[in-house]
Every structure is written in structure tokens, then in C-alpha cells.
Amino acid sequence: MIKVVVDCFGGDRSPQANVSGAIKSLNENNDLYLILTGDQEKLEKELSLYTYDKSRLEIVHAKDVISCEEKPTDAIKKNKESSLVVAYDLLRQNDEINALVSTGSTGAVLVGSVLKVGRIKGVNRPAFCPILPTMKNTFVGVCDSGANVDCDPQQLVQFAIMGSLYMQKMFNIEKPRVALLNIGTESTKGDALRKETYELLQNTPSINFVGNMESRDLLSGNYDLIVCDGFSGNVLVKSTEGACLELMKLLKKSFMSGIKNKLGALLLKKEMYRIKNYMDYNNYGGGVMLGTKKTIVKGHGSSKDTAIYHCINQAYNMEKSKLREFISEEITKQTSKE
Amino acid sequence: MIKVVVDCFGGDRSPQANVSGAIKSLNENNDLYLILTGDQEKLEKELSLYTYDKSRLEIVHAKDVISCEEKPTDAIKKNKESSLVVAYDLLRQNDEINALVSTGSTGAVLVGSVLKVGRIKGVNRPAFCPILPTMKNTFVGVCDSGANVDCDPQQLVQFAIMGSLYMQKMFNIEKPRVALLNIGTESTKGDALRKETYELLQNTPSINFVGNMESRDLLSGNYDLIVCDGFSGNVLVKSTEGACLELMKLLKKSFMSGIKNKLGALLLKKEMYRIKNYMDYNNYGGGVMLGTKKTIVKGHGSSKDTAIYHCINQAYNMEKSKLREFISEEITKQTSKE
């Protein structure tokens, strides 16, 4: 049995979307057991709308919710009755619980992963790795993307090892193409951090390092994993998402001006919908923490039920694939060499 | 007379686009004098296609071209007969030459600006500031965007002062809204560099500091100038450009599949063209160096003649507006306070 605790509050569509997504995943996976945290009454009301195997789901009451305005460290330390902290405490205290899924405050989920769950032995810093769809129908992971704003080269190498294993095991890529985010493709480019990391990555036999990547090529489909510090990784992911969103908004607006455009847009409706859908994170789960003792999946704050369904499936599949064990093994090999 | 030296080689469409753009700007501005550097024979051949005031244009021969593969510092120091180095030497040796425009290797242009031209007194590090069109029909500048990969808070404050003056003088924005690029909007977000810079910016009365900006909001039109270190600025600009390009490519491809889509695309052709045009850097000039003793404008490597025309006009207008004097004055005030 894979046991996943689902924080059912904190997202923009909580708890409806969380419960709906949870049930869909539960009904699909016979060896999945779910623990939902949050306001018991509200969750029971929501659950009453669905048919599911009641022996594989339980509620653990939590009366509070962490807001995105709260300082993450304070929230995790002090808001003990929040759905997220209750979920983290369950994860920490119960060996048989494998994973946690949340759509709440990103900062609080990241802080909780370190304070409540801890690192796999040998891992210097756990990293946050979201994925984006590329123009070649593949996915590209970005590791780290916000958990560690200050990084050293050794940490970046570990991000590469962990992220590569993630892309390999979860997306069936035999030898994920790992690139270092830089301001040019030449090996001599970038600051001291990039130069030193480049050399280390070249000498890391367990990964398929293909060199530097310039930001403009993120969606090209030529790379499977991008290695970066959390600050520039956050900038990379968020500016890409932002640009796509703004451009789609602009197109929508301009397609609605004038009869000719409206007619054209009507004909292209299905195609536009397909593209929007393709880029929509709701259709492919959330970002994951890599290097923590248990599996943690963080969905977008505005996740719909489909997104949460994918996040839970993702956590389930990560456990099934024994990703954590692979990471632990590879990191042990790496650190013993140093 | 405003004298601008135009490096006519090194771009993807050189020298045709450079000469064509130069002539267009020359014919429009009666007090503009141009010096074109590059292969004399080729330039003369190109110029023979145009009608223009020959008393306001001269060629200075340079037989070589710097390629993007050359290491920038080596190229500037050793490739003395390249069109860019000849242009830089003219700029340095002649007080009456005001500005330089190039579409060659970005690295070489940046290095040349420091080695050949030097800084305005008090400026710690010159910065590179490109602009992007926003969704509200405004422009947003990003300073620094690649000239300085390692920065300290004091440098970021100077980038803010210089960039703010640039947006004010060149885009007629009375009080440019200056934001600090960060991984969250709260003042406590980010690494040590961001936290310290935030405080300093709050205490810089000459700018209108509006707080942190998350990358996803770059194109929102809610900001006029984004302050950042050159590494994350490069990531910000390049990933935004890359995402827009990839998305437009995807749209184009999918609009060409099937008769219904093709018909829809045909109806929307004008609108799509308008949007593509709106986002096209060819229509709004290049990035500028801020804090150098003379004006330097760097156009995209793939600049068409329109882009080069805009770049030369930009250099001309920067000189007309006395931007360098304003920067010098403000930086003197700032450094004398410290």
C-alpha cells in the first residue's frame, strides 16, 4: 500500500478540487491509501458527493489554514493546527506514510520539507523541481527552482544527479540530457559558480551532461533537465510561464476584436484550446522536492481537480518507482568519492 | 552635429541591413553625421544603392570582423582591424564622436565599452539595459541584463538610478516605476543580495521604487524598469523572448494543419502579423549601455534594417536628451552622499 497525505486546504480551489482530485486518484489505484487533512466537517461534506473505497481513505482534522501572506518559517513552526503542518507531522511521525501533496503556500511547503521531513543522507540541500512541456512533446525539469537561493557548485551537482534520476524514472528517459543554465553556451561563460559547476558536471559520470543552456532554449525540447541555483531557476520558470500566459491573453483579446477576427478565432477554437491545454500545468501535476526523506509534491496554488489528481498520481508513481532509494544510492556513491 | 559611428559588420544581415538602416536615419536627421566601419569596398558598393547627403557620412576601413565564437576580451584586445575595434578606437580617440552602434558579438560590445570607452566618474559598473514591449503598450527596461554577472547591492542601486533616468528621458515617463527582480513580492524575499538591495532602494529618493517584482509579471505593464544582477537579468529577458518565440512557432505550425485551421489562420493573418510585429525587437531598437562615457547601443545580431535604423535613432536621441549628463549628475549626488 502506498500512503499519501493530502493537504486539502491552502489552494485557491480548496477543498473542492483537492477532494475531487483525491477521489479520482484513489479510484484508479487499488493500492493507494489517502489521508486528507483539513476541516473535518467541510471534508466530510465534500466527500459525501463521491463513491469510493472508504477503507482506503481517512480524514485527520486540522482547523487552520496557512495563508500565502504568512512567513513560511513562522507558519510551519507556529501554525500547528494548519492542514499543512498536520499533514507534515503525520508524514514525519508515521513510517508507513510515503508522501505528501499540497497546493498551499510554496514557501511553507519548502520550509516544511526541510524542518519536518529532513534530507536523505548525503544530500546537502533538497531541491525543488517543477516540469514544463516543451515544443517537442517532451517535458523539461528545472532543478532547483526556488528552494535554495544561494548555492555552491557541489549542491548544483547534486541537483543534477537527483533531477536526472527523476526525469529518468518518471518520464522514462534513458539518459536525460542535463544542461547547466548559463548566459551563453560556451564553457567559459558565466560567473564563478557556473564555471566551477561546469567542470564538476563534466566529471560526473552518472549524468549525461550536454553543456550550458541559454534561457531562450528552455522550451526547445533539446534538454531534459536544467540545473541552476534556486534564484535563477525561479526566474527561468516564472518568466517562461508569465510570457506564455501574457501572450495567450493578448491573442485572446485581439482575436475578439472585429467580426473577421472573431470568425477566424471560431475556426481555430479547437486548436487554440488544444495549445492552451498543452501548456496548462493542470494537466501534468506539480513540482517535486528531490532529496527529502519522503516524497513531496507541490501543486500550483490555483490547481484544479485534474492538477491535484495528477499530483497524487505523481507522488504514487514516485514511490512505486523507488526514486528515493535510487537518489540515496547515487548520492552515497557520489559523496563517498569526494 | 551628433556623430555616430556604426559598426557595419558582425550582424547576421551585415552590411546590407546596417547600411540601409544608417541611410534611413541619416536622411531623417539633419544634424546627424555617420561614420561607417568595415570593408571599404563592400560598404561603397552597398552605399551606391542610396541617395543621401554625402557630406554627413564617411567610411573608415576595417578589414576584419569579430565572430561570436571569439572570446570577447581577446577579440577586443587582439582583433585590432575588426570593424568593431576600429569603431571603438574612433569613439575613444575623437571627442566629437558621440556614440557607437553595433549588431556584432554582444560580449565584445560589452567588453569594448569598458576597455575602450570607460565609465562615467562615480559609476562603479556600466550596465546593459534592453527593453521589452509590455501588454499595456509600454516598454519595460531590464538593467542589468548581462554585463555584470556578479553584483553587489551598491551596484544594483546605480543600475536603478541609471535605468530610471533612461526610461524617463527616452520614453517620457515622469516617474518610472522601478522594481527589484525577486522570487516573491514580499520585502523579506530572496537572497542576501536582494534583501540588502531592497533596503537601499527604499532609501534612494531619486527613484520611484515600487518593491519586488516576480518574473511572471515582466510583461504586465505594471513596471517601467526592473533592477537585477546581469545573470538573472539575462535569464529574465532571454526566457521571456524564447517563450514568446516558441509559442508563436507552435501557433503557426498548428494553424497550418487542416483546412479549417488554415481558413481561420487566414482570417486572423493581419492580427497575427500585428502581434508578431508588436513583439518584434526590430521595431524598437536595441539595448543600451548605461554609465559609459559615450553612448553605446547594441542591436540584436539578427537585426534587420529597421532595427538598425531604430538603434541609430536611439543613440541620436540619447545624445540629444543629454542622458549621459543626467546620469553623471545623479551619480555624483549619490556617491557624494555615501
Side-chain angles (χ1 to χ4, degrees):
Chain A
M1 197 67 86
I2 305 283
K3 284 197 173 185
V4 179
V5 54
V6 182
D7 167 17
C8 284
F9 285 78
D12 300 346
R13 296 163 203 265
S14 296
Q16 292 82 1
N18 302 56
V19 170
S20 165
I23 295 299
K24 199 176 169 198
S25 183
L26 189 75
N27 287 343
E28 227 174 57
N29 303 298
N30 288 329
D31 60 342
L32 175 63
Y33 184 101
L34 293 179
I35 303 150
L36 312 187
T37 64
D39 185 290
Q40 177 130 15
E41 207 175 310
K42 285 181 187 159
L43 289 175
E44 273 170 1
K45 201 181 143 197
E46 214 41 57
L47 281 166
S48 69
L49 304 170
Y50 300 93
T51 310
Y52 60 95
D53 178 356
K54 292 190 172 55
S55 74
R56 292 190 288 118
L57 186 143
E58 65 180 290
I59 295 172
V60 173
H61 179 66
K63 67 180 176 66
D64 289 331
V65 183
I66 290 175
S67 83
C68 286
E69 280 69 48
E70 285 176 73
K71 217 184 147 192
T73 317
D74 289 352
I76 290 293
K77 284 187 180 163
K78 294 175 190 163
N79 207 335
K80 291 190 199 303
E81 295 191 78
S82 64
S83 56
L84 179 63
V85 174
V86 167
Y88 262 130
D89 284 337
L90 285 166
L91 189 66
R92 185 175 57 163
Q93 288 152 10
N94 297 280
D95 285 346
E96 79 278 14
I97 302 182
N98 305 69
L100 177 146
V101 170
S102 176
T103 54
S105 150
T106 308
V109 173
L110 298 186
V111 168
S113 72
V114 176
L115 295 186
K116 296 282 185 180
V117 180
R119 299 163 288 155
I120 288 173
K121 202 183 156 205
V123 170
N124 194 305
R125 294 267 194 93
F128 184 58
C129 182
I131 47 166
L132 288 104
T134 77
M135 295 302 146
K136 284 184 185 156
N137 284 304
T138 60
F139 285 105
V140 59
V142 178
C143 188
D144 177 40
S145 177
N148 309 285
V149 285
D150 290 304
C151 296
D152 65 34
Q154 285 71 27
Q155 287 161 358
L156 288 184
V157 171
Q158 290 200 336
F159 299 168
I161 293 172
M162 298 191 294
S164 178
L165 280 169
Y166 173 60
M167 296 311 290
Q168 188 188 64
K169 302 297 170 196
M170 298 302 292
F171 300 92
N172 297 314
I173 306 166
E174 204 190 335
K175 284 181 170 187
R177 294 158 300 176
V178 177
L180 177 66
L181 177 66
N182 209 331
I183 58 170
T185 51
E186 303 87 342
S187 62
T188 54
K189 286 274 172 168
D191 52 7
L193 173 62
R194 264 32 84 156
K195 285 175 192 167
E196 205 179 316
T197 305
Y198 190 98
E199 255 198 69
L200 291 177
L201 288 175
Q202 274 193 311
N203 295 305
T204 306
S206 68
I207 60 159
N208 173 25
F209 180 55
V210 297
N212 287 327
M213 181 202 77
E214 279 193 275
S215 319
R216 68 158 71 94
D217 296 324
L218 177 64
L219 303 182
S220 66
N222 297 336
Y223 307 98
D224 301 306
L225 182 83
I226 311 307
V227 178
C228 41
D229 67 277
F231 193 91
S232 55
N234 180 284
V235 172
L236 180 70
V237 171
K238 294 287 172 70
S239 55
T240 300
E241 286 179 350
C244 289
L245 267 173
E246 294 287 0
L247 185 53
M248 288 301 272
K249 265 200 271 178
L250 182 69
L251 287 168
K252 201 176 161 187
K253 197 178 143 196
S254 74
F255 285 5
M256 288 299 115
S257 63
I259 289 171
K260 200 173 141 193
N261 290 340
K262 275 184 190 164
L263 187 61
L266 196 66
L267 288 164
L268 286 168
K269 201 175 171 182
K270 212 174 134 189
E271 201 55 30
M272 286 297 283
Y273 187 76
R274 195 185 63 80
I275 291 173
K276 206 178 148 223
N277 228 12
Y278 177 62
M279 299 189 314
D280 189 351
Y281 57 80
N282 279 296
N283 299 318
Y284 51 86
V288 298
M289 286 301 298
L290 297 174
T292 44
K293 273 187 189 154
K294 299 211 169 172
T295 289
I296 295 157
V297 178
K298 164 72 183 78
H300 263 261
S302 51
S303 286
K304 293 179 187 168
D305 49 357
T306 334
I308 292 157
Y309 155 75
H310 284 294
C311 286
I312 298 172
N313 277 4
Q314 207 173 348
Y316 171 84
N317 289 325
M318 283 167 79
E319 284 300 306
K320 279 278 187 186
S321 76
K322 304 208 177 299
L323 178 64
R324 286 189 284 136
E325 282 88 333
F326 283 110
I327 288 179
S328 170
E329 205 177 291
E330 206 54 64
I331 292 290
T332 305
K333 270 194 229 162
Q334 184 233 1
T335 48
S336 67
K337 256 184 249 158
E338 276 170 6
Chain B
M1 197 67 85
I2 304 284
K3 284 196 174 187
V4 179
V5 54
V6 182
D7 168 18
C8 283
F9 285 78
D12 301 345
R13 298 163 201 265
S14 297
Q16 292 81 0
N18 302 57
V19 170
S20 165
I23 296 299
K24 199 176 169 201
S25 183
L26 189 75
N27 287 343
E28 226 174 58
N29 303 298
N30 289 329
D31 60 341
L32 175 63
Y33 185 101
L34 293 180
I35 303 149
L36 312 188
T37 64
D39 185 289
Q40 178 130 14
E41 207 175 309
K42 285 182 188 158
L43 288 175
E44 273 170 1
K45 200 181 144 199
E46 214 40 58
L47 281 165
S48 69
L49 304 170
Y50 300 91
T51 310
Y52 59 95
D53 179 356
K54 292 190 171 53
S55 73
R56 291 189 290 116
L57 186 142
E58 65 180 291
I59 295 173
V60 173
H61 180 66
K63 67 179 175 66
D64 289 331
V65 182
I66 290 175
S67 82
C68 285
E69 280 69 48
E70 286 176 74
K71 218 186 145 191
T73 316
D74 288 352
I76 290 294
K77 285 186 179 162
K78 294 174 190 164
N79 208 334
K80 290 190 199 305
E81 296 191 79
S82 64
S83 57
L84 180 64
V85 174
V86 168
Y88 262 130
D89 284 337
L90 285 166
L91 188 68
R92 185 176 55 164
Q93 288 152 10
N94 296 280
D95 284 347
E96 79 278 14
I97 302 183
N98 305 69
L100 178 146
V101 171
S102 176
T103 54
S105 150
T106 308
V109 174
L110 298 187
V111 168
S113 72
V114 175
L115 295 186
K116 296 282 184 180
V117 180
R119 298 164 287 155
I120 288 173
K121 202 183 156 204
V123 170
N124 194 304
R125 295 268 194 92
F128 185 58
C129 183
I131 47 167
L132 290 105
T134 76
M135 296 301 145
K136 283 185 185 155
N137 284 304
T138 60
F139 285 105
V140 59
V142 177
C143 188
D144 176 40
S145 176
N148 309 285
V149 285
D150 289 304
C151 298
D152 66 32
Q154 284 73 26
Q155 289 161 356
L156 289 184
V157 171
Q158 290 199 337
F159 299 167
I161 292 171
M162 298 190 295
S164 178
L165 279 169
Y166 173 61
M167 297 310 291
Q168 187 188 66
K169 302 296 171 198
M170 297 303 292
F171 300 91
N172 297 313
I173 305 166
E174 204 190 336
K175 285 183 170 183
R177 295 157 299 177
V178 176
L180 177 66
L181 177 65
N182 209 331
I183 57 169
T185 51
E186 304 85 343
S187 62
T188 54
K189 285 275 172 169
D191 52 7
L193 173 62
R194 265 30 85 155
K195 285 175 192 167
E196 204 178 320
T197 305
Y198 190 99
E199 253 198 71
L200 291 177
L201 289 174
Q202 274 192 312
N203 294 306
T204 305
S206 69
I207 60 160
N208 173 25
F209 179 56
V210 297
N212 288 326
M213 180 201 77
E214 279 191 276
S215 319
R216 68 159 68 95
D217 296 324
L218 177 64
L219 302 181
S220 66
N222 297 335
Y223 307 97
D224 302 306
L225 182 83
I226 311 307
V227 178
C228 40
D229 66 277
F231 192 91
S232 54
N234 180 284
V235 172
L236 180 69
V237 171
K238 293 288 173 68
S239 55
T240 299
E241 286 179 351
C244 288
L245 268 174
E246 294 287 0
L247 186 53
M248 288 302 271
K249 267 200 271 177
L250 181 69
L251 286 167
K252 201 176 162 188
K253 196 178 143 197
S254 74
F255 285 5
M256 286 300 115
S257 63
I259 289 172
K260 200 174 141 192
N261 290 340
K262 274 185 189 163
L263 187 62
L266 195 69
L267 289 163
L268 285 169
K269 200 176 171 181
K270 213 174 133 188
E271 199 57 28
M272 286 296 283
Y273 186 77
R274 195 185 63 81
I275 290 173
K276 206 178 148 223
N277 227 13
Y278 177 62
M279 298 190 315
D280 189 351
Y281 58 79
N282 279 297
N283 299 318
Y284 51 87
V288 299
M289 285 302 298
L290 297 174
T292 44
K293 271 185 190 157
K294 298 210 169 174
T295 289
I296 294 156
V297 178
K298 164 72 183 76
H300 263 261
S302 52
S303 286
K304 294 179 186 167
D305 50 356
T306 334
I308 292 157
Y309 155 75
H310 284 294
C311 286
I312 298 172
N313 277 4
Q314 206 174 349
Y316 172 84
N317 290 325
M318 281 167 80
E319 283 301 306
K320 280 279 188 185
S321 75
K322 304 207 177 302
L323 178 64
R324 285 189 284 136
E325 283 87 331
F326 282 109
I327 287 178
S328 171
E329 205 176 292
E330 206 54 63
I331 292 291
T332 306
K333 268 194 230 165
Q334 184 233 0
T335 48
S336 67
K337 256 183 249 157
E338 276 169 7

